[in-house]
Amino acid sequence: MTELEALVAYGLLTALTVVWQATGSLGQLGIAYLMGARDEQRPVKGVAARLNRALNNAITAMALFAPAVLLILVTDQSTPASTLAATVFFIARLIYLPAYAFAITGVRTLAWAAGFAATVSLYLLAL
C-alpha cells in the first residue's frame, strides 16, 4: 500500500465512520432530531457514544496523518519505510474503529499507539 493509497483508504474509513456514527445515533435520537437543526444537544449512550468519540479521534488522526503523507509525497521522499509507516497507520486505524466501538480497551489502546507512532515516523522520515 502506497502512502497515497493509505490516505485515500483512511479517508474512506473515516467516511464510513461518519455513516456508522449517524446510523448508531438514529435509534437513540430519532430521524426528526438528526434531520433538524440540533439546537438542543442530546446525549447518546453505549456504542453510539463510543462511535461519536471514535469519529472525533478519527478526524484528529486524519489532521495529523494527511499532512505527513502529503509532505512525503510533495518532497518526493517516498521510501519503503514511509510506505510501511502509512500501511501500519491504516491497519492500526482499521483495528481501532471496531475496538473502540465495541469497548475492546487493550486492543483499542495498542491500535491507537501503533497508528500514532506510524504518523510520527512519517514526519521524521520527511526531515
Side-chain angles (χ1 to χ4, degrees), residues 2-3 5 22 27 33 38-39 52 57 61 74 82 87 111:
T2 67
E3 298 91 345
E5 289 169 339
Y33 176 77
R38 300 184 198 180
D39 291 331
N52 283 344
N57 188 275
V74 167
S82 63
T87 302

Side-chain angles (χ1 to χ4, degrees), residues 77-90:
Q77 295 188 65
S78 179
T79 65
S82 63
T83 57
L84 177 62
T87 302
V88 166
F89 171 84
F90 177 71

Side-chain angles (χ1 to χ4, degrees), residues 5-18 62 65 89-90:
E5 289 169 339
L7 180 58
V8 170
Y10 188 59
L12 292 171
L13 180 61
T14 303
L16 176 65
T17 305
V18 170
M62 178 65 85
F65 179 65
F89 171 84
F90 177 71

Side-chain angles (χ1 to χ4, degrees), residues 100-114:
Y100 203 147
F102 299 112
I104 307 169
T105 307
V107 172
R108 183 196 84 199
T109 302
L110 289 174
W112 179 89

Side-chain angles (χ1 to χ4, degrees), residues 10 45 94:
Y10 188 59
K45 298 175 185 166
L94 193 59

Side-chain angles (χ1 to χ4, degrees), residues 10 13-14 17-18 20-22 24-25 28-29 41-62 93 96-105 108 112:
Y10 188 59
L13 180 61
T14 303
T17 305
V18 170
W20 195 15
Q21 180 270 334
S25 297
Q28 292 181 39
L29 300 176
Q41 278 205 315
R42 296 182 186 172
V44 291
K45 298 175 185 166
V47 172
R50 288 191 298 276
L51 285 170
N52 283 344
R53 293 189 300 273
L55 178 57
N56 288 336
N57 188 275
I59 293 167
T60 301
M62 178 65 85
R93 296 305 301 190
Y96 176 86
L97 178 58
Y100 203 147
F102 299 112
I104 307 169
T105 307
R108 183 196 84 199
W112 179 89

